[in-house]
Amino acid sequence: MTEREILLKKISTYQFAALDLQLFLDTHKNDSKTLEKMQEYQKTAKSLTKEFEEKYGPLTKSANNRNNWQWIKAPWPWEIEEDD
């Protein structure tokens, strides 16, 4: 895996964990430890996203992006060669 792919995997993992805990909190609203853990995961995901965007360009469309077409420079999924 490339550094880019590893970073994307980490972002995805933290975002999923934060969302999963958010859903848990829907039925356990007084669980302060889970709330803290969710906020920690959200903060980590945000930090990793910022790192990714500084290195590789934006992950999502945003009105604040100065270079709106940066994402087009990345390889498309079918252009990525798998190492077996």
Side-chain angles (χ1 to χ4, degrees):
M1 255 197 222
T2 66
E3 181 183 347
R4 181 180 185 273
E5 292 169 327
I6 292 168
L7 197 48
L8 279 173
K9 183 77 165 175
K10 286 181 183 180
I11 292 167
S12 175
T13 301
Y14 279 100
Q15 287 176 337
F16 177 82
L19 179 60
D20 194 43
L21 293 180
Q22 184 177 2
L23 293 172
F24 177 82
L25 286 168
D26 285 345
T27 57
H28 300 81
K29 62 183 174 185
N30 296 323
D31 189 340
S32 60
K33 287 186 179 185
T34 300
L35 178 61
E36 288 175 17
K37 189 56 97 174
M38 181 195 72
Q39 291 170 338
E40 176 188 330
Y41 289 165
Q42 288 173 331
K43 183 179 177 182
T44 302
K46 186 176 180 178
S47 172
L48 289 169
T49 300
K50 182 179 179 202
E51 178 184 342
F52 181 92
E53 289 180 342
E54 287 172 356
K55 290 181 178 180
Y56 304 107
L59 281 174
T60 59
K61 176 72 174 116
S62 172
N64 296 331
N65 289 338
R66 284 181 240 126
N67 188 356
N68 292 331
W69 296 98
Q70 181 67 27
W71 59 271
I72 197 77
K73 295 178 184 176
W76 294 94
W78 54 87
E79 295 175 330
I80 299 171
E81 294 183 20
E82 295 288 328
D83 292 334
D84 291 326

